């Protein structure tokens, strides 16, 4: 199993202390998270893309470049790149540059995004988001794999024998497909033979398992070897303590803030309480053994090879404490029991 940490760079008031960081302080906090994650042996660090308050992540390539300068081995992810609203030529250029700066450590996770504000902001009708995502991804793939690309479509002006520059360090940059709500994303991933990353945060296991199963069905439909399908999954929160009740009470203010936020309400989560969310959802809250058992339960359902966690909503001191606990108490056991490659 591989482990990643990610951030949407949400900069609201701390649910426990009430402190509001400046944008500069929050951005430095995210870079420090990535440095800490590398030091603790995590495999990847991801930055999401959002446009508007309270998020400070409209330009992941910029922030990932800063992280690349402070790290040397950890893989760099986007979680996600909202490709439906972006110009594929600019995406090809920006992320190829990040890939060069990081000596080939970049991996994209693409998706249509999870914040409806970007439709009006970038002039994309919501009903066209899936068509735009598929078309833009088809062009991005060609730009990273071919030279002198000629292309015509609906999302941008035609291209005539264009070679995007710089070329990626990797040949090509790995791309995952982020999936939260729709079989259109799982089908697109299977169609191209790409790995799937399940968001897996706001709803019960069964909803996300159905999407993963659809991905595997479509993978075989397109004539691919089922053993080659790859899945990663995020988890909706992290808080570890020796006693499970201490973990629950420690996490409660953060959970309340998240599920009462605009993002929480937009996702229409069915959980009635924190206890309900812990019983039916993916949050890794409890003793180390309970967290290990939940990761196993999701692996049995999804066959995932990547576990993605986030500590961004936690108080800064608690962020580092939780990353340390996960790295020392959970990750070694899971790596031993679920080695990479086991599906």
């Amino acid at each position: 199993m591989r482990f990643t940490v990610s951030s949407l760079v949400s900069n609201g008031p701390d649910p426990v202390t009430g402190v509001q960081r400046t944008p500069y302080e929050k951005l430095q906090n995210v870079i420090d998270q990535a440095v800490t994650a590398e030091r603790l042996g995590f495999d990847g660090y991801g930055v999401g893309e959002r446009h508007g308050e309270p998020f400070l992540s409209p330009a992941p390539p910029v922030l990932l470049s800063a992280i690349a300068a402070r790290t040397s081995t950890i893989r760099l992810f986007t979680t996600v790149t909202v490709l439906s609203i972006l110009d594929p030529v600019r995406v090809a250029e920006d992320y190829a540059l990040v890939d060069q700066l990081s000596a080939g450590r970049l991996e994209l996770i693409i998706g249509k995004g999870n914040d409806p504000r970007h439709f009006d902001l970038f002039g994309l009708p919501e009903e066209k988001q899936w068509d735009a995502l598929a078309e833009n991804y088809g062009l991005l793939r060609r730009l990273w794999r071919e030279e002198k690309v000629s292309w015509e479509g609906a999302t941008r002006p035609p291209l005539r024998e264009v070679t995007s520059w710089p070329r990626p360090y990797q040949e090509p940059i790995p791309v995952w497909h982020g999936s939260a709500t729709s079989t259109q994303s799982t089908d697109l991933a299977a169609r191209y033979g790409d790995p799937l990353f399940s968001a897996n945060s706001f709803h019960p296991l069964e909803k996300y398992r159905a999407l993963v199963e659809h991905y595997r069905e479509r993978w075989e439909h397109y004539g691919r070897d089922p053993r080659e399908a790859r899945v990663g999954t995020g988890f909706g929160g992290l808080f570890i303590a020796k006693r499970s009740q201490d973990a629950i009470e420690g996490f409660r203010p953060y959970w309340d803030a998240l599920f009462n936020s605009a993002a929480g309400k937009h996702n229409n989560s069915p959980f009635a309480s924190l206890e309900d969310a812990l019983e039916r959802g993916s949050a890794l809250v409890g003793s180390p053994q309970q967290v290990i058992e939940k990761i196993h339960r999701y692996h049995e359902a999804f066959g995932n090879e990547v576990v993605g966690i986030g500590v961004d909503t936690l108080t800064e001191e608690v962020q580092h404490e939780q990353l340390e606990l996960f790295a020392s108490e959970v990750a070694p056991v899971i790596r031993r029991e679920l080695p990479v490659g086991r599906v």
Side-chain angles (χ1 to χ4, degrees):
M1 191 72 71
R2 294 194 295 159
F3 299 100
T4 66
V5 183
S6 65
S7 171
L8 282 170
V9 203
S10 179
N11 194 36
D14 187 290
V16 174
T17 68
V19 172
Q20 174 77 54
R21 296 184 183 95
T22 67
Y24 174 81
E25 289 169 340
K26 180 58 184 179
L27 291 167
Q28 295 306 308
N29 167 242
V30 169
I31 295 170
D32 288 344
Q33 274 186 39
V35 171
T36 298
E38 180 174 83
R39 175 176 61 81
L40 294 174
F42 284 88
D43 300 283
Y45 190 87
V47 173
E49 178 183 341
R50 290 288 179 91
H51 299 272
E53 293 184 301
F55 304 101
L56 298 170
S57 54
V62 177
L63 187 48
L64 286 172
S65 293
I67 291 170
R70 291 278 305 279
T71 59
S72 58
T73 59
I74 197 166
R75 301 290 293 177
L76 306 177
F77 285 78
T78 64
T79 54
V80 300
T81 294
V82 187
L83 190 56
S84 56
I85 61 172
L86 302 177
D87 182 344
V89 175
R90 190 57 191 264
V91 172
E93 293 174 341
D94 286 352
Y95 284 109
L97 189 56
V98 176
D99 199 44
Q100 289 288 347
L101 287 168
S102 65
R105 290 188 278 139
L106 182 67
E107 300 190 31
L108 255 64
I109 304 179
I110 65 165
K112 54 88 178 172
N114 195 30
D115 188 332
R117 293 178 295 179
H118 60 235
F119 296 121
D120 288 340
L121 188 62
F122 289 92
L124 175 68
E126 187 170 359
E127 65 273 13
K128 294 184 178 180
Q129 60 182 322
W130 292 110
D131 291 340
L133 177 64
E135 182 174 289
N136 286 348
Y137 182 51
L139 176 54
L140 178 63
R141 281 180 62 91
R142 290 191 61 195
L143 290 168
W144 276 346
R145 287 168 169 78
E146 304 173 26
E147 298 182 359
K148 296 184 177 181
V149 172
S150 295
W151 176 93
E152 290 189 17
T155 58
R156 59 148 294 123
L159 300 176
R160 294 288 178 265
E161 296 192 344
V162 168
T163 300
S164 65
W165 193 259
R167 307 303 290 165
Y169 186 99
Q170 301 172 90
E171 298 181 358
I173 294 169
V175 176
W176 300 68
H177 294 247
S179 169
T181 59
S182 174
T183 54
Q184 289 171 280
S185 57
T186 52
D187 182 83
L188 187 66
R191 189 189 322 165
Y192 282 107
D194 295 329
L196 182 77
F197 206 102
S198 173
N200 193 42
S201 294
F202 287 97
H203 293 270
L205 181 151
E206 290 75 17
K207 176 175 181 175
Y208 299 108
R209 174 162 51 190
L211 289 169
V212 172
E213 288 175 349
H214 180 263
Y215 165 68
R216 295 187 184 279
E217 289 166 4
R218 299 305 291 172
W219 184 276
E220 293 193 58
H221 168 81
Y222 289 115
R224 305 187 189 282
D225 185 339
R227 294 171 297 181
E228 295 178 355
R230 300 172 60 207
V231 174
T233 184
F235 284 81
L238 174 70
F239 207 102
I240 302 170
K242 181 179 291 187
R243 295 195 323 142
S244 61
Q245 193 56 41
D246 291 339
I248 293 170
E249 293 311 311
F251 187 64
R252 191 177 300 280
Y254 304 109
W255 186 88
D256 288 343
L258 176 61
F259 276 77
N260 289 321
S261 68
K265 293 174 181 177
H266 173 70
N267 280 278
N268 297 314
S269 176
F271 301 132
S273 65
L274 172 56
E275 285 74 13
D276 182 30
L278 297 181
E279 177 65 27
R280 298 193 293 137
S282 67
L284 300 175
V285 177
S287 68
Q289 186 57 39
Q290 287 174 315
V291 169
I292 289 166
E293 290 171 359
K294 180 168 281 190
I295 292 173
H296 269 281
R297 190 190 332 151
Y298 274 83
H299 178 75
E300 289 173 5
F302 295 171
N304 57 301
E305 65 179 59
V306 180
V307 165
I309 63 172
V311 295
D312 213 33
T313 62
L314 306 180
T315 302
E316 189 164 357
E317 180 180 343
V318 181
Q319 291 177 11
H320 291 274
E321 172 189 275
Q322 290 300 314
L323 291 176
E324 293 267 6
L325 283 168
F326 189 93
S328 62
E329 302 292 331
V330 175
V333 177
I334 296 297
R335 283 196 174 106
R336 182 174 64 249
E337 296 176 348
L338 299 174
V340 173
R342 176 178 170 180
V343 177

